[in-house]
Amino acid sequence: MAFNITPIGIIHSSIKHRSDAPRQGYRGAPAVTIELAKDMEPALTGLSSGDDVIILTWLHQSDREVLQVHPRGDRRKPIRGVFATRSPDRPNPIGLHPVKILSIAGCMLEVEPVEAIDGTPVVDIKRALRR
Amino acid sequence: MAFNITPIGIIHSSIKHRSDAPRQGYRGAPAVTIELAKDMEPALTGLSSGDDVIILTWLHQSDREVLQVHPRGDRRKPIRGVFATRSPDRPNPIGLHPVKILSIAGCMLEVEPVEAIDGTPVVDIKRALRR
């Protein structure tokens, strides 16, 4: 059994290669532009600059067969299961990116910070929860 | 273009119907058991009771055509785009559930709280980030 996940947009970033990406957004990742599909524009109603949202991406260059890794790629660290890490290599390579919206114009959103590389598909945007 | 998302396990919960589910986990949702596929066990190495993780689910009863909703189902509230909400109805119905692990035994994890219904597919588990 499997489900189809359909990109709603794409990330435009100055980060072109996975080896240049910081491990998390808050580790110095840049602002990026999200170009949403035109038919998604109604789903943005109510969002504006300054809002905190979570961007979900499909980390398309990931290795989905990997179940264990050395944390942060450090081979001196004991091996861990990918579910105990934020490794992009995992069975379903969904990226979670807590960001702030810098601007919205039509289907173009500028948000920061995002460590995903240029061309990464975006699959969802969710309001960040404040408890 | 679409990607295949493959369940890694399933949720066993006392919540049997979507109408009985709280809107968020922290609104009184119960502990649930996650039954992972046997071949996923190596991916759990390093996780233990008390750990904070994020469970990602595929909200399989969602309506993927919905782009706008009344927040919290309240028709007096102005309509919003689903990306400005946590509505389960959205183009790619991925659920995010911040939980604490209560126990792990083989491929069975008890975690709380989770508002997803019994039978909901699990698609990923990620370490919660502490900055």
Side-chain angles (χ1 to χ4, degrees), chain B residues 7-124:
Chain B
I8 60 169
I10 195 167
I11 284 180
H12 299 288
S13 172
S14 59
I15 304 175
K16 303 300 181 191
H17 302 286
R18 188 171 153 173
S19 57
D20 297 329
R23 292 196 165 265
Q24 301 299 333
Y26 61 82
R27 294 183 185 273
V32 302
T33 301
I34 296 174
E35 180 180 359
L36 288 188
K38 285 267 178 281
D39 56 352
M40 290 294 148
E41 195 166 338
L44 293 172
T45 303
L47 287 178
S48 52
S49 305
D51 286 350
D52 292 309
V53 295
I54 302 170
I55 306 295
L56 282 73
T57 56
W58 187 261
L59 302 169
H60 59 303
Q61 292 193 357
S62 296
D63 182 343
R64 302 180 66 174
E65 303 300 315
V66 171
L67 295 181
Q68 296 192 320
V69 294
H70 291 281
R72 294 179 287 282
D74 183 343
R75 299 189 67 84
R76 293 165 303 183
K77 291 186 185 291
I79 209 154
R80 305 200 92 183
V82 292
F83 298 154
T85 77
R86 297 289 282 226
S87 168
D89 297 320
R90 49 180 57 243
N92 291 302
I94 297 166
L96 296 186
H97 314 274
V99 301
K100 191 173 286 290
I101 297 177
L102 303 179
S103 68
I104 300 187
C107 279
M108 306 294 276
L109 288 81
E110 195 184 12
V111 304
E112 77 172 357
V114 174
E115 76 280 17
I117 65 172
D118 189 56
T120 298
V122 175
V123 297
D124 199 8

Side-chain angles (χ1 to χ4, degrees), chain A residues 12 14 26-27 30 52 57 66 73 90 97-98 101 110-111 116 119 122:
Chain A
H12 299 289
S14 59
Y26 61 82
R27 295 182 184 274
D52 293 309
T57 56
V66 172
R90 50 181 56 245
H97 315 275
I101 297 176
E110 195 185 11
V111 303
V122 175

